[in-house]
Amino acid sequence: MKSPEPAKLHGYGVLWDTGAQCYRVRNEMTREWLRTAATGELAAFSSFDAAWGAWKVFEVHKRPGEQ
């Protein structure tokens, strides 16, 4: 059985999963991984822009410069 968290991820919030060759999204405040609603599996994004857009909605705290 695979681990519920991907190994060897790099970055902050939007992370590259080298094993799965996709981007993952993590809420850095709660350390919770974004999952698909239908299956509960880790959400996977093929482009950084798509992952960044999902992270901006998923991450609940304001980032520097936001009002």
Side-chain angles (χ1 to χ4, degrees):
M1 184 171 159
K2 285 188 171 183
S3 170
E5 294 191 14
K8 297 182 181 179
L9 294 176
H10 309 285
Y12 174 85
V14 175
L15 307 156
W16 178 251
D17 184 341
T18 55
Q21 296 292 297
C22 64
Y23 291 97
R24 305 285 189 188
V25 174
R26 184 171 123 178
N27 182 315
E28 296 299 326
M29 298 290 287
T30 64
R31 300 197 186 282
E32 178 183 358
W33 293 95
L34 182 63
R35 299 185 177 274
T36 61
T39 63
E41 293 182 17
L42 290 172
F45 299 88
S46 59
S47 76
F48 179 84
D49 289 338
W52 179 257
W55 178 75
K56 286 173 59 176
V57 173
F58 185 60
E59 186 76 7
V60 295
H61 73 281
K62 293 180 188 246
R63 289 167 291 286
E66 286 187 342
Q67 295 183 8

